[in-house]
Amino acid sequence: MRPLNAQIRLDYLRENYQTLKNLHGGKMLAVVKADAYGHGAVRCAHALADLADGFAVATLDEAVELREHGIKQPIVLLEGVFEAEEYAKVDEYRLWPAVGSQWQLEALIAYPWQQPVKVWLKMDSGMHRAGFFPHNYSSAYTALKQCPNVADIVKFSHFACADEPENGMTEMQLEAFDLGCEGLAGEESLANSAAILNVPQARRDWGRAGIALYGISPFGGADERLKPVMRLVTQVFGERVLQPHSPIGYGATFYTSKSTRVGLIACGYADGYPRRASTDSPVAVDGKRSRVIGRVSMDMMTIELNAAQDGLGHEVELWGDVVNINEVAQAAGTIAYELLCNIKRAKFTYYE
C-alpha cells in the first residue's frame, strides 16, 4: 500500500478550539468549510460537537452533509444562498444564512418560512468582496427587522488584512463597521483567526476560528499556542548514492555538489504537494530535518538523506510537528490554506 498518510490529531483540534475560544471570549464558530480545510469536515465536526457553539461552512451542500451526519449545533452559511430556491433547504435544515446582497435579502424576506430564521447580515467594511456598504447597512438591517420570519440578526464583517498587523486596514474596517452599526441592536461577529489571536478590539459576541483551529498561524511561521492537527507523512521507498555533478529529476534543475545519498519518497503534485516547492523545500526524516532536491514529480519526490541510518522504510514528514506547513508554503510561493485543501490520494488516519 502506498505509504502517504495524513494523520489527523483530533485531540489537537479540540485543544486549539478551546485555546482560541479562551482568547476570544464569548461564543465561537468552528469554520469547517472546504472539508474542514482538507481535514475532513464530518470527523472534525463530531470531534468538536460537545465544545463548539456552532459551525460555519461556505455552501449549502456542506451544511446538509453535516446535518445528515448528526451535527445538531447551529451552522452558518458564510456565503449565504446562491439562488433563492435554496432557502427551502435552509429552512428544512435549520441553518443560519448570511445575507450580503440585495437579492439575497429580498429573496429571504419573500420566502414563506416554516420557522423563524436567524440571519447573519454582512457588511462590506472595506474588503469589497461581499456585503452591504456601511451607508446601506442600516436599511438592510431594518428590512430584516421588520420581517416577522426573522428571529435574530447577527451583524458581521470580514477583515482583509488581519494577518498583516502593520497594515492599518483592520483599524479602518473596525471603525467603518462600528459607525455602520451605530444604534443597531444585536450580536456581532468580526474576529477571524488572525483577529482572535492579535486584535482584541475585534473580539465581539461571536468569533470565527478558521486556519488557526487546525493549528496553523495565519501570520506565517509557528505559534506556540497552537498545535498542528495534520501531520503529512510518507516513507523512503528507494535510495541511491550519486556522485558529484549528477543531475536529479525532470529538467536536470539540480546537480549534486558532493557524493549524495538520495531518497525516493511516495508523494508528488498529484497528491497535492506543490510542484513549485522543489529544491530546498524542508522535510524531516525520522525527526531530523532535510530537504527536497530536484523537481517534484507527479507521484514521487527525491530528498537528501543525511544520516547513514536514514533509508528504505524510514518515515518522512512533509509537514506537521518538525516541519511547519508555513515553511513549505513559503517555498512554494503560496499559503498553507492552499496546501491543506489540495491534499488528495493520501490515506487519512484519525486519532482521538
Side-chain angles (χ1 to χ4, degrees):
M1 180 180 293
R2 197 158 178 264
L4 184 62
N5 187 5
Q7 301 172 352
I8 309 298
R9 285 81 66 91
L10 297 174
D11 53 338
Y12 285 6
L13 182 74
R14 290 171 59 84
E15 288 184 46
N16 291 335
Y17 179 89
Q18 199 61 62
T19 295
L20 294 164
K21 182 172 180 178
N22 290 343
L23 273 173
H24 181 271
K27 293 173 282 190
M28 194 170 74
L29 298 176
V31 182
V32 292
K33 64 180 180 176
D35 201 27
Y37 293 56
H39 291 72
V42 171
R43 290 297 298 265
C44 288
H46 276 293
L48 293 170
D50 63 332
L51 291 178
D53 299 302
F55 296 95
V57 297
T59 68
L60 180 61
D61 289 345
E62 292 175 334
V64 169
E65 180 185 37
L66 294 182
R67 283 282 186 257
E68 292 185 344
H69 282 85
I71 297 301
K72 302 184 184 306
Q73 286 77 8
I75 302 175
V76 176
L77 291 178
L78 290 172
E79 297 177 20
V81 298
F82 296 102
E83 52 189 34
E85 291 76 12
E86 290 185 336
Y87 279 127
K89 290 288 186 183
V90 172
D91 195 13
E92 177 185 354
Y93 287 96
R94 308 176 317 281
L95 307 175
W96 294 356
V99 169
S101 65
Q102 188 64 28
W103 79 263
Q104 288 178 329
L105 176 71
E106 293 174 359
L108 185 144
I109 291 172
Y111 180 76
W113 295 88
Q114 300 304 303
Q115 50 193 341
V117 61
K118 186 165 185 170
V119 177
W120 282 55
L121 182 62
K122 188 167 191 177
M123 181 191 292
D124 178 0
S125 59
M127 190 169 182
H128 299 331
R129 192 176 62 177
F132 292 89
F133 291 120
H135 60 274
N136 295 327
Y137 194 75
S138 62
S139 60
Y141 176 94
T142 300
L144 288 173
K145 204 71 175 172
Q146 292 173 345
C147 178
N149 289 320
V150 174
D152 292 295
I153 303 170
V154 178
K155 299 162 290 176
F156 86 112
S157 191
H158 191 57
F159 292 128
C161 302
D163 57 348
E164 300 175 22
E166 307 304 319
N167 186 287
M169 188 170 177
T170 300
E171 288 72 20
M172 294 171 58
Q173 287 191 252
L174 276 164
E175 182 178 1
F177 181 82
D178 288 335
L179 285 172
C181 290
E182 193 169 5
L184 306 181
E187 296 177 314
E188 297 178 347
S189 176
L190 282 174
N192 56 4
S193 287
I196 290 170
L197 291 166
N198 203 50
V199 188
Q201 61 270 38
R203 299 169 188 163
R204 306 293 172 91
D205 300 284
W206 286 89
R208 308 189 304 271
I211 194 71
L213 181 63
Y214 305 97
I216 297 162
S217 170
F219 304 104
D223 188 321
E224 62 183 15
R225 295 171 291 184
L226 305 172
K227 294 184 176 181
V229 175
M230 180 188 290
R231 184 169 180 263
L232 185 65
V233 297
T234 186
Q235 288 181 0
V236 178
F237 74 93
E239 63 173 309
R240 64 187 56 214
V241 176
L242 295 180
Q243 298 306 307
H245 312 299
S246 297
I248 297 177
Y250 285 117
T253 58
F254 178 87
Y255 280 77
T256 58
S257 60
K258 61 183 189 303
S259 178
T260 303
R261 291 182 64 239
V262 178
L264 186 63
I265 65 172
C267 185
Y269 59 77
D271 302 295
Y273 193 91
R275 183 176 181 271
R276 287 171 294 173
S278 292
T279 295
D280 291 333
S281 182
V283 298
V285 184
D286 286 346
K288 297 179 289 293
R289 292 175 67 93
S290 186
R291 62 173 181 155
V292 175
I293 49 178
R295 280 186 182 166
V296 173
S297 302
M298 182 179 287
D299 311 291
M300 297 177 285
M301 297 159 54
T302 45
I303 65 170
E304 192 168 21
L305 297 175
N306 294 316
Q309 67 271 25
D310 295 340
L312 288 175
H314 283 248
E315 181 189 78
V316 179
E317 180 186 277
L318 300 167
W319 61 66
D321 296 332
V322 178
V323 176
N324 188 290
I325 191 172
N326 280 321
E327 296 180 78
V328 182
Q330 184 177 11
T334 185
I335 56 176
Y337 302 71
E338 183 178 11
L339 301 188
L340 292 171
C341 291
N342 282 343
I343 289 303
K344 304 181 289 290
R345 302 200 309 176
K347 175 186 176 183
F348 277 66
T349 306
Y350 290 87
Y351 300 90
E352 302 293 337

